[in-house]
């Protein structure tokens, strides 16, 4: 839950290394990274965070010359307890923690007053060792009460933690310890690796200890899934089931009155759904209005911020908020329109495990349909997108906060045809290598959203140059004769995007004696920005799962009228590949003076397993292969 | 024929009028006043009235206002902040919409942790809403050595009415320069104060075109100072210490060697300083010319641009090298009447390494720390690259071999100006004036037959020259590509010529040789 409203984790790549960490290598090495948590009966925790770092180089000094630690002042308190420099020459110097700074951290988009503590480590030299302890009390979320209650989690008595056991810096030893009353039951699991684990009883407490040694960063695979899905991590929770968390999330927002209607909101809802005939039309209209008009900028409501959805009055007045407030506005609107709607938590970017450890960073909503099922909707991710649930979030776990409780759910795959890119080009190749012609590009779903972005979120003064640039990427000499993108390309709800380009490209083909070499225009850097699969590195083999932006269908058709007398060199082509991961079929042939190229690439998922790579790669590479020069000879 | 005319007219209309750009927002009013008080303190008063037309304006662009200040010397007062929605509802700014945070530039720098950024989150925004914001920053005497203004008045959206005033004690004259527009002030005198008032109507939005002139004299700007450049720079020099940290000197002594050239040793010292610090870009507006002690800078492992430059300057002197600390200004300003707020960078000149810097900074002028102007003429950047290739290494395709001539990482290829649009409104600045020549020697190491065509080209125009020559010498092919751009800036007319040359340079087909097997 503490990560509920962050966008994505940006942790560096690592791997589980078998070799021993040499503390004299690298710019700096962590000799010991230890966290010990004492959990009280009410669920609040006191964290003691200790690190000992060996500095080996000047760059290591620069990187460790300032220590910074983040905390949320609404629910936690953090301070440096002790900082020591063990100088190479043998002297130990204590850095006065009185000089530590405690301040509101730099912020953009979320303005909840998150704080940092910071201390400067002056005079650090290669060969020195730095040792420090930070003490943190509380949680990253909690209902505010008196000072003493500030650190008590909102699910009173419950404790959880998510502990990455990967590192950014070579680490000799990493220890995580929980000391909690015997009366509490803790479930835990160490994922994607192993560690030394122990459970001991001491007095009225149980002590859980997890130790891993010689952890080294490893080479990351480009486009791989999130590290939480592949790297070693520890998940712990005293909450028995996800259903308990679901009920709590429902109750906390209902009790607060997050969705209570207001006369102004009622009037707006009436205006939005006017003329809408059925439930889906109403849901769509309300979702898109909220998505487009409640902007992402998070103010703090004070008590309860972080997990309580701002009330409808605040949201509709402010017209801004983070994902939970945008979702809250939609829930309020849907309820005014007569629907049953509730909030849901989700984790954009990585898998949520079965242990209910609040591994969420995003908030969405669910609406009950007439057939009794709940449909997830995400207004935060669909501004100017022709979807109600963004398919950039397919194959993603979510937990609805509904009155009857829910287990963890998973969003389904989105069919590739819902996100098509179709380009149909009719070209004429002239003897001197000039290409003239026209193409029609149409797109839907996530592809529509990407291609339309210049109209929906770009500056109007940039439109003309941007649209021309699409063609100039094919050739700097391209001349845009005309472009038709309809009367109002900003109106994304009306229909899938359609643009018609007419152009002339001098020197497009290579002309040499009796030979002409020409690349299919549709395969020549045209709209590569929406072909996200092209950015996936072409590795021979993958050890980890990988991800694309979305499932997608690419249909590219081109006919080229060629100068009389020229014939295609080599064989005509026909390819047909089918698998559960990706399909490709295409052909290239000459009919009289026409070259005809057709191809269709179907990429069926957003998140792929490592074992999907062979089929994915084969289909994509066959598709790319059609971008080679076509050779014509007289 | 008439049909053709209509067709052409229609095409013209479809390409150009459909794209006629509308503003995302409009400043109905912008009022800015700068005051130098008789006690040496200063006041900055800013007031804007901004109407939003699009979601682009409402979301990312104008949803928040960020105001940085130095609480040790400054206090900020939000006089008025509210939104008037399209239908006339007034949404007052709630208390929680004013959030003082640490400015990003001070992140990771404990000695600058006192700096603040006030985030004003504008609430109640919708299409057609108007943002009203009025605030004042009062600056105590001591942050800046002199009264000093350098502000761009042109905004990212057009401004209908703009009023700017500069007030100062009558016995403390201030020289005001308005850049980018011919205008004069209406001067009034009340008691002991003089006020220069400027009124501007219909200021166009700043252009969003790429590759704009860095120091652009056509952009509307106000520059004012109560002192001359020499006095201003001397005030910086007076802050310098004469020593450098012992450890740094010792590290430098170890690295200096007679085995290296003078330039080599200077480069080593430069690297030593660069490696010792992470640079914090704390602007003059927040920090004035305050310099920490050299020992403090050295021990902290971070430094401002001025601190780093001054440390290197001192270190070079201590090691016996001649060096100057140089302030960089836009050349279009009358620098003699500028203050330190107009300094765009601090650099250290040791020997002749300024030349390469100047090539990257066209339109700049340079002053030594003692206030003397450097008369340095930038040279044309000359680059010659060469590469030898084997024809057989090309890509095979149905009995043909296609050999790509590689690009180089030090000239026009690195500029990536290969998608320049047909039309342009503002003057374009290239990264450097350049004369580049690429020589490729291709050995035909098999029985392949080189298929020649219209490879030889030469274009000379108002922007410069492009040429490409291919010469076959038996089993060897020599390709010579040249581009020469003697100007740094290109106006609308010259832009077309520049684009013609660059398009030839970048055209992928001009980098391909075809052989039949």
């Amino acid at each position: 839950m503490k990560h509920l409203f962050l966008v994505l984790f940006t942790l560096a790549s690592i791997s589980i290394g078998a070799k021993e960490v040499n503390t004299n290598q690298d710019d700096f090495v962590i000799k010991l990274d230890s966290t010990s948590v004492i959990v009280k009966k009410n669920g609040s925790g006191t964290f003691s965070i200790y690190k000992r770092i060996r500095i080996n180089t000047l760059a290591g000094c620069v990187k460790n010359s300032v220590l910074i630690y983040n905390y949320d002042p609404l629910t936690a308190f953090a301070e440096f307890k002790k900082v020591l420099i063990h100088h190479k020459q043998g002297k130990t110097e204590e850095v006065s923690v009185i000089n530590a700074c405690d301040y509101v951290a730099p912020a953009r988009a979320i303005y909840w007053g998150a704080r940092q503590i910071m201390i400067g480590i002056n005079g650090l030299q290669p060969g020195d060792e730095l040792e420090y302890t930070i003490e943190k009390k509380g949680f990253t979320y909690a209902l505010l009460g008196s000072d003493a209650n500030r650190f008590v989690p909102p699910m009173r008595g419950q404790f959880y933690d998510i502990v990455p056991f990967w590192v950014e810096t070579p680490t000799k030893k990493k220890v995580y310890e929980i000391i909690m009353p015997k009366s509490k039951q803790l479930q835990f699991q160490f994922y994607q690796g192993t560690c030394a684990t122990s459970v001991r009883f001491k007095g009225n407490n149980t002590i859980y200890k997890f130790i891993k040694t010689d952890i080294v960063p490893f080479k990351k695979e480009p486009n791989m899934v999130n590290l939480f899905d592949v790297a070693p991590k520890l998940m712990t929770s005293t909450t028995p089931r996800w259903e308990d968390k679901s009920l709590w999330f429902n109750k906390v927002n209902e009790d607060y009155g997050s969705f209570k209607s207001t006369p102004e909101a009622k009037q707006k809802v009436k205006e939005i759904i006017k003329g809408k005939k059925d439930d889906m039309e109403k849901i769509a209209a309300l979702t898109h209005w909220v998505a487009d008009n409640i902007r992402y900028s998070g103010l703090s409501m004070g008590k309860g911020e972080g997990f309580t959805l701002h009330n409808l009055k605040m949201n509709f007045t402010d017209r801004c908020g983070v994902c939970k407030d945008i979702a809250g506005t939609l829930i309020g609107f849907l309820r005014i329109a007569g629907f049953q709607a509730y909030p849901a938590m989700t984790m954009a970017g990585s898998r949520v495990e079965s242990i209910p450890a609040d591994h969420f960073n995003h908030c969405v909503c669910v609406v009950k349909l007439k057939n009794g099922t709940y449909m997830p909707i995400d207004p935060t991710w669909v501004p100017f997108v022709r979807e109600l649930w963004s398919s950039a979030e397919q194959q993603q776990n979510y937990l609805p906060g509904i009155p009857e409780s829910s287990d963890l759910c998973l969003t389904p795959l989105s069919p590739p045809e819902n996100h098509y890119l179709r380009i149909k080009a009719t070209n004429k190749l002239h003897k001197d290598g000039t290409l003239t012609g026209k193409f029609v590009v149409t797109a839907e779903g996530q592809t529509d959203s990407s291609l339309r972005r210049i109209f929906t979120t770009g500056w109007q003064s940039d439109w003309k140059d941007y649209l021309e640039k699409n063609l100039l990427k094919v050739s700097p000499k391209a001349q845009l004769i005309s472009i038709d993108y309809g009367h109002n390309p900003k109106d994304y709800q009306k229909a899938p995007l359609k643009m018609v380009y007419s152009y002339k490209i001098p020197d497009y083909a290579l002309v040499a004696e009796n030979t002409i070499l020409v690349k299919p225009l549709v395969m020549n850097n045209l709209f590569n920005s929406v072909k996200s699969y092209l950015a996936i590195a072409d590795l021979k083999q993958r050890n980890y799962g990988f991800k694309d932006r979305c499932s997608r269908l690419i249909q590219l058709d081109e006919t080229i009228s060629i100068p009389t007398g020229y014939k295609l060199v080599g064989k005509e082509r026909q390819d047909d590949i089918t698998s559960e991961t990706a399909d490709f079929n295409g052909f290239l042939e000459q009919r009289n003076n026409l070259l005809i190229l057709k191809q269709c690439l179907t990429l069926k998922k957003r998140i792929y397993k490592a074992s999907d790579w062979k089929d994915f790669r084969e289909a994509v590479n066959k598709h790319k292969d059609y971008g080679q020069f076509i050779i014509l000879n007289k | 024929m008439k049909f053709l005319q209509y067709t052409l007219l229609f095409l013209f209309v479809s390409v150009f009028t459909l794209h006629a750009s509308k503003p995302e927002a409009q400043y109905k009013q912008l009022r800015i006043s700068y005051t130098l008080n008789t006690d040496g303190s200063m006041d900055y008063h800013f007031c804007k009235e901004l109407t939003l037309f699009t979601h682009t304006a409402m979301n990312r662009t104008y949803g928040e206002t960020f105001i940085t200040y130095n609480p040790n010397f400054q206090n900020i007062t939000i006089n008025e902040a509210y939104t008037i929605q399209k239908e006339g509802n007034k949404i007052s700014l709630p208390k929680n919409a004013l959030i003082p945070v640490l400015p990003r530039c001070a992140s990771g720098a404990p000695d600058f942790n006192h700096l603040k950024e006030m985030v004003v989150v504008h609430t109640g925004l919708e299409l057609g809403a108007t943002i009203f914001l009025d605030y004042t920053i009062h600056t105590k005497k001591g942050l800046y050595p002199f009264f000093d203004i350098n502000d761009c008045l042109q905004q990212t959206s057009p401004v209908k009415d703009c009023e700017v005033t500069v007030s100062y004690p009558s016995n403390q004259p201030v020289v005001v320069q308005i850049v980018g527009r011919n205008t004069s002030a209406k001067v009034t005198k009340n008691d002991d104060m003089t006020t220069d008032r400027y009124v501007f109507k219909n200021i166009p939005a700043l252009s969003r075109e790429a590759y704009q002139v860095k120091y652009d004299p056509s952009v509307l700007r106000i520059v004012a100072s109560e002192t001359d450049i020499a006095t201003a720079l001397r005030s910086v020099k007076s802050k310098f210490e004469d020593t450098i940290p012992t450890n740094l000197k010792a590290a430098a002594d170890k690295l200096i060697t007679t085995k290296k050239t003078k330039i080599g040793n200077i480069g080593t010292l430069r690297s030593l300083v660069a490696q010792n610090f992470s640079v914090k870009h704390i602007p003059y507006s927040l920090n004035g010319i305050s310099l920490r002690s050299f020992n403090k800078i050295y021990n902290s492992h971070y430094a401002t641009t001025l601190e780093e430059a001054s440390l290197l300057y001192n270190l070079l002197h201590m090691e016996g090298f001649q060096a100057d600390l140089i302030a960089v200004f836009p050349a279009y300003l009358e620098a003699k009447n500028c203050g330190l707020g107009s300094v765009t960078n601090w650099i250290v000149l040791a020997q002749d390494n300024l030349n390469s810097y100047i090539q990257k900074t066209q339109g700049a002028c340079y002053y030594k720390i003692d206030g003397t102007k450097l008369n340095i003429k930038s040279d044309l950047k000359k680059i010659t690259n060469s590469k030898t290739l084997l024809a057989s290494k090309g890509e095979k395709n149905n009995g043909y071999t296609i050999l790509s001539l590689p690009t180089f990482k030090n000239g026009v290829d690195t500029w990536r100006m290969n998608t320049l649009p047909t039309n342009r409104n503002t003057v374009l600045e290239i990264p450097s004036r350049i004369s580049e020549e690429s020589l490729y020697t291709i050995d035909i190491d098999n029985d392949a037959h080189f298929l020649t065509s219209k490879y030889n080209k030469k274009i000379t125009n108002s922007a410069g020259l492009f040429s490409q020559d291919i010469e076959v010498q038996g089993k060897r092919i020599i390709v010579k590509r040249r581009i020469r751009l003697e100007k740094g800036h290109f106006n609308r007319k010259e832009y077309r010529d520049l684009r013609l040359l660059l398009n030839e340079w970048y055209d992928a087909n001009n980098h391909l040789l075809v052989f039949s097997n």
Side-chain angles (χ1 to χ4, degrees), chain A residues 58-59 61-62 65-66 68 101-108 111 113 116 118-125 292-297 299-301 314 316-320 384 432 456-465 467-469 472-473 475-478 480-486 490 506-513 515 517 569-571 628-631 633, chain B residues 11 14-16 18-19 21-24 54-56 58-64 66 85 91 94 96-97 99-104 107-110 113 117 119 121-126 156-157 208-209 247 272 275-278 298-302 395 397-398 400 402 418-423 449-455 457 499 503-504 506-507 509-510 512 514:
Chain A
L58 200 53
C61 296
V62 174
S65 62
V66 176
I68 298 177
C101 309
D102 185 340
Y103 55 94
V104 182
R108 285 292 181 271
Y111 304 104
Q116 292 177 328
M118 170 168 68
I119 193 164
I121 312 297
N122 289 333
L124 213 50
Q125 292 296 319
D292 298 350
N293 293 289
I294 304 295
R295 65 192 190 89
Y296 195 99
S297 190
L299 297 176
S300 174
M301 61 184 273
M314 182 177 176
F316 192 66
T317 306
D318 290 350
R319 301 284 172 100
C320 65
F384 314 108
D432 65 353
T456 52
T457 62
W459 286 61
Q460 292 165 102
S461 57
D462 293 349
W463 287 13
K464 180 173 157 289
D465 288 352
L467 295 168
E468 186 186 19
K469 206 172 177 178
L472 293 171
K473 283 178 182 169
S475 164
K477 293 178 180 173
L480 178 62
I481 295 170
S482 71
I483 179 168
D484 179 2
Y485 44 69
K490 286 189 177 197
D507 299 333
Y508 180 73
L510 269 171
V511 180
E513 296 177 8
T515 307
L517 290 87
V569 174
K571 290 179 184 172
Q628 283 189 356
F629 274 111
I630 298 168
I631 301 176
N633 211 340
Chain B
L11 288 178
S14 68
V15 174
F16 296 107
L18 275 180
H19 303 300
S21 60
K22 295 172 188 166
E24 309 296 319
T54 65
H55 286 100
T56 303
M58 188 181 100
N59 289 323
R60 288 178 301 174
T61 315
Y62 301 117
E64 289 83 26
F66 304 97
Q85 291 183 318
I91 308 292
N96 61 347
I99 309 105
V101 304
L102 184 75
R104 186 73 63 185
S107 186
N113 193 253
E117 177 180 63
V119 183
V121 178
H122 300 292
T123 54
L125 300 190
E126 62 179 9
T156 47
S157 284
R208 290 174 51 81
E209 288 179 324
N247 285 348
L272 175 68
Q275 285 166 12
N276 252 295
F277 307 105
S278 62
Y298 179 73
N299 284 328
S300 71
H301 286 296
Y302 59 84
E395 186 187 320
N397 184 339
N398 284 301
Y400 291 81
I402 302 157
N418 56 340
T419 55
L420 290 177
T422 311
N423 296 303
H449 168 62
F450 176 52
L451 304 177
T452 56
S453 182
K454 52 176 185 180
Y455 284 110
K457 294 176 181 179
R499 185 170 179 267
N503 284 353
E504 287 295 345
Y506 287 118
D507 188 353
N509 285 353
N510 283 343
L512 297 174
V514 182

Side-chain angles (χ1 to χ4, degrees), chain B residues 252 255-257 260-276 312 315-316 319 321-323 348-353:
Chain B
L255 294 169
I256 299 296
T257 160
K260 286 185 195 166
T261 60
K262 199 172 175 185
I263 284 288
N265 278 321
I266 289 169
T268 302
L269 294 182
R270 187 198 150 278
S271 299
L272 175 68
V273 171
Q275 285 166 12
N276 252 295
L312 176 60
L315 182 63
L316 286 167
E319 292 294 339
F321 298 103
Q322 193 177 346
V348 176
L349 170 63
Q351 296 248 337
D352 60 352
N353 70 352

